[in-house]
Structures are given as C-alpha cells and as structure tokens.
C-alpha cells in the first residue's frame, strides 16, 4: 500500500506541467543598467527598457560580411516563425560590439537595407566602455583582428568574436545562448513559446 | 549451416547497399562534372545585401572537371574599394573570424563552394548600396582558366542548409 502511494506521488510529480524542465537563468541582468543608444540616437536603458517582453539578442558588428549577417538573417527567420500575438511580446535586439564604427546612422542603414521591422527590432550601440562592460557581463568576446586600409584611407577593422544569439526573459535574465550564425530556428522557437506560456500565466 | 547462410546473406545485402550508395555518389559527381562541361565553370553566384560604406561577400560554386588543379588568384569588382579572397574560421577558443587568403585551390574533378561560414570573396567598403535583386559584376582570375566574369544577384535572408 505504501509503495502504491509512493508510486502515485512520483507519477503526479512527473506529470505535473509546473515541474517541466525550465530554462535555467544563465546571466541575471535585472539589476544591471547599461546606458545605450539606439539606431535613432535615442538613449535606451538596457535591459530595463525591455522589461515585460522577451528579447532575442544578437551581437554583431556591421563591417562583418559573413557571420553577423547570418546572425541577423537568423533573427529575421525567428521573427517570421512567430505569429502576430506572439510577436507582441518579443523584441529583437542587435547590439554592436564595435561602437567606434557602428554609430546610430550606420545601424539604421544596416537595418533599413534589410527591411527589418522597426516596430519589433532595435539596434544598440553606446560608449565604448559601456559596450565593453555589457559584453563582458554576457560573456561575448570581440577582439580586433585583421585591419585593412582602403584607398580612400578608411580603416576597416575585422573582429574575431563570439557567434551568439541570446534569449532574455521579461525580467532581464539571459535564459539560453545559441550559435548566432547557425542557430536551430525550431529550437529557439520552441524555447520562446515556453517562455511566452510562462508570461501569460 | 543455417547461421552461416544468414551471415552470408546479410553480408551480400550490406555490400549491395553500400555499392549502390557509392555508385550513386559517383554518378552524381560525374553528372555534375562532365555533363556538357569541359572547362572550369562558375554557378549559383550571389552577393549579400549591404549598404554603401559597409562590407559584403560574394558566394558561388566553382566546378573544375579537368584533370589538373586550378587556383583562384584574384577577384575584382567596381562595387567596392577593395576585393579580397577570404575565409571564415573558428579559432581555438571557438571565436569566429574572417581572414584574407592569397588564393583558393580548386582541385581537379571537384566542385568548391564559396559559401557563408566558409570561403568567400569579400567586398570591402561598398561604393553603393547593394539591394535585393541588384546585379553585380565580379571578375575572377584563375591560374589556368584565366578570367571568368560572373553576374551575382543580391539577396539576403536565406535559411542555411
């Protein structure tokens, strides 16, 4: 009899939806405040300005011809994988780790030529020390590597960098990191849906 | 006796399956390389959408059906200040980067794909916007095959294979 009760209890625990494995908190940014600038040169507090919504965050530099456009491409595909109601609760955030070059007009142009939706998508840059501090906090490494000088004298710096998209919850906590340039869209879509369900409860 | 027969049948089955696979692969390569192609060819060219002042990359496939290796030694285009042959790499810490390479070998009887996260021709500091659908001329110079001109249509937002 005792064994039967125990077995029943275990069954209830296992089947209880509240006990589903949840995404762990990887980095808690809820008490942090990074004063950033968006593509329209407006001041933005990160992550507090995103509170209440889920965020899909990509780390990029606009001079990147291969990996970062793929990350942006994948964020676009994630956006397209969500329905209208889901999109109301999700923001797409591209943060540049090259603030010396990626000024707001550069970020705006990067967004516009790709026809990204300005309602759901924001680009962030900022003072170098703030950006560096944010990157350190979230564990994104970006180091200048190859540098070219164009005939017109412009210096082009290519970075060696972490290839990452992060999923942040409504409280400013990073819940999962993915490889930005080769993320599994179905995987993050499923993770987003799970967090959106929690949001609605 | 029965056991030996079963083992023999399984071995035959395995052989025929693997043979079929090898044959299919061989045929595929032969079709790709020899079907009406007697010289180095470039197919499926495209260039990634990017804005003036930024960088972008050209992607394409190079098929060399000949018995001799060839080498891509340079690339030219008017759309940017600098055009270079590049490769994307992952360093020992898992960080991604790109670097210039002096040439790219196209082995005999093979197809080399210049593709995202891999080999590409990089256009540094675009002189104009490259918008979806725009067509851009790219001149590639090979050691043996000489100059090859290709027109690359601009696109973005593709689901990676």
């Amino acid at each position: 009899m005792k064994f039967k009760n125990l077995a029943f209890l275990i069954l209830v625990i296992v089947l209880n939806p509240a006990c589903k494995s949840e995404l762990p908190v990887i980095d808690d940014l809820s008490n942090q405040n990074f004063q950033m600038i968006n593509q329209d040169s407006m001041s933005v507090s990160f992550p507090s300005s995103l509170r209440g919504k889920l965020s899909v965050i990509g780390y990029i530099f606009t001079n990147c011809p291969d990996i970062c456009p793929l990350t942006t491409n994948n964020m676009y595909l994630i956006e397209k994988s969500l329905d209208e109601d889901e999109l109301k609760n999700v923001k797409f955030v591209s943060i540049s780790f090259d603030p010396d070059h990626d000024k707001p007009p550069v970020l705006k142009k990067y967004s516009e030529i790709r026809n990204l939706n300005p309602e759901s998508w924001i680009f962030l840059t900022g003072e170098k020390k703030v950006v560096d501090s944010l990157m350190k906090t979230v564990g994104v490494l970006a180091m200048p590597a190859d540098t070219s000088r164009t005939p017109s004298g412009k210096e082009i710096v290519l970075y060696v960098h972490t290839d990452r998209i992060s999923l942040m919850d409504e409280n400013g906590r990073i819940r999962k990191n993915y490889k930005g340039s080769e993320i599994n869209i179905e995987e993050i879509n499923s993770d987003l849906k799970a967090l959106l369900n929690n949001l609605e409860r | 006796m029965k056991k030996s027969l079963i083992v023999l049948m399984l071995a035959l089955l395995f052989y025929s399956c693997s043979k079929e696979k090898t044959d299919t692969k061989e045929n595929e390569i032969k079709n790709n390389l020899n079907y009406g192609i007697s010289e180095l060819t470039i197919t499926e060219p495209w260039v990634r959408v990017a804005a003036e002042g930024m960088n972008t990359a050209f992607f394409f496939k190079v098929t060399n059906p000949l018995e001799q290796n060839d080498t891509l030694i340079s690339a030219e285009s008017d759309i940017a200040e600098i055009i270079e042959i590049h490769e994307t790499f992952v360093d020992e810490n898992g960080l991604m980067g790109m670097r210039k390479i002096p040439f790219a070998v196209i082995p005999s009887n093979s197809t080399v794909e210049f593709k995202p996260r891999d080999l590409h021709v990089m256009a540094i500091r675009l002189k104009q916007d490259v918008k979806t659908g725009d067509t851009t001329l790219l001149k590639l110079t090979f050691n043996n095959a000489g100059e090859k001109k290709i027109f690359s249509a601009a696109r973005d937002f593709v689901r990676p294979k």
Side-chain angles (χ1 to χ4, degrees), chain A residues 158-197:
Chain A
L158 295 182
Y159 283 80
V160 175
H161 60 91
T162 307
D163 177 17
R164 183 177 293 174
I165 286 174
S166 298
L167 176 56
M168 187 170 78
D169 70 18
E170 70 281 11
N171 295 313
R173 299 176 304 174
I174 303 288
R175 303 296 292 272
K176 197 165 178 181
N177 290 320
Y178 314 79
K179 267 201 163 183
S181 67
E182 53 180 1
I183 189 170
N184 181 327
I185 306 293
E186 285 74 29
E187 180 188 346
I188 189 167
N189 177 281
S190 158
D191 294 336
L192 271 164
K193 282 180 172 24
L195 290 182
L196 283 167
N197 273 340

Side-chain angles (χ1 to χ4, degrees), chain A residues 57-113:
Chain A
I57 304 168
Y59 306 92
I60 63 162
F61 72 111
T62 63
N63 266 333
C64 182
D66 192 15
I67 300 301
C68 305
L70 280 175
T71 296
T72 307
N73 173 40
N74 287 336
M75 288 171 67
Y76 174 86
L77 293 175
I78 296 162
E79 185 185 9
K80 291 292 154 204
S81 77
L82 298 172
D83 67 32
E84 212 171 298
D85 279 345
E86 290 166 335
L87 276 174
K88 284 177 191 161
N89 291 309
V90 182
K91 277 280 185 191
F92 293 83
V93 187
S94 292
I95 306 177
S96 169
F97 47 74
D98 182 16
D100 289 342
H101 176 264
D102 289 342
K103 306 293 184 199
V106 173
L107 294 176
K108 196 173 177 77
K109 212 169 175 184
Y110 186 89
S111 170
E112 283 176 348
I113 200 139

Side-chain angles (χ1 to χ4, degrees), chain B residues 8 39 42 47 49-51 54 60 75 77 79 100 124 141 148 154 160:
Chain B
L8 183 68
E39 61 178 74
I42 296 147
V47 59
V49 163
M54 295 182 191
F60 45 86
S77 174
I79 63 159
K100 183 182 174 181
I124 298 172
T141 305
K148 296 277 177 185

Side-chain angles (χ1 to χ4, degrees), chain B:
Chain B
M1 180 64 184
K2 247 186 187 176
K3 252 186 189 173
S4 310
L5 199 63
I6 289 170
V7 169
L8 183 68
M9 281 175 74
L10 280 173
L12 277 172
L13 188 68
F14 177 76
Y15 172 76
S16 66
C17 286
S18 57
K19 178 85 174 72
E20 195 179 317
K21 239 183 193 174
T22 312
D23 288 351
T24 311
K25 188 74 188 163
E26 274 173 9
N27 286 337
E28 198 181 293
I29 291 169
K30 274 182 190 161
N31 283 339
N32 285 341
L33 295 175
N34 295 332
Y35 189 72
I37 302 171
S38 57
E39 61 178 74
L40 184 134
T41 55
I42 296 147
T43 53
E44 300 177 38
W46 64 282
V47 59
R48 197 190 294 285
V49 163
E52 182 186 343
M54 295 182 191
N55 306 333
T56 191
F58 289 90
F59 306 101
F60 45 86
K61 285 180 181 174
V62 186
T63 298
N64 179 8
L66 307 173
E67 294 304 320
Q68 199 177 1
N69 291 352
D70 208 337
T71 309
L72 174 64
I73 49 176
S74 70
E76 290 172 55
S77 174
D78 287 339
I79 63 159
E81 289 194 37
I82 301 175
I83 304 288
E84 293 175 342
I85 306 166
H86 272 232
E87 67 177 1
T88 298
F89 66 94
V90 185
D91 78 3
E92 63 276 12
N93 300 312
L95 302 181
M96 303 292 297
M98 279 142 288
R99 61 188 163 211
K100 183 182 174 181
I101 52 172
F103 55 82
V105 175
I106 316 298
S108 63
N109 296 309
S110 71
T111 296
V112 172
E113 192 171 1
F114 286 66
K115 59 179 192 266
R117 294 177 53 83
D118 207 319
L119 286 169
H120 54 275
V121 168
M122 180 156 163
I124 298 172
R125 198 156 168 83
L126 290 169
K127 296 175 187 169
Q128 64 208 49
D129 287 350
V130 177
K131 295 179 185 158
T132 304
D134 286 354
T135 304
T136 303
L137 177 65
L138 176 68
K139 193 169 85 181
L140 300 171
T141 305
F142 295 87
N143 211 15
N144 299 329
E147 275 181 23
K148 296 277 177 185
K149 288 179 179 170
I150 53 170
F151 288 94
S152 307
R155 62 182 166 97
D156 209 350
F157 302 131
V158 287
R159 188 176 282 268
K161 284 176 191 170

Side-chain angles (χ1 to χ4, degrees), chain A residues 117-145:
Chain A
N117 179 5
E119 297 298 313
S120 57
W121 208 303
I122 57 169
F123 282 79
L124 297 178
T125 183
E127 278 182 43
K128 187 163 171 36
K129 64 177 182 191
V130 177
V131 170
D132 286 350
S133 169
L134 170 56
M135 292 304 149
K136 195 175 171 190
T137 304
V138 295
V140 170
L141 295 172
M143 292 171 288

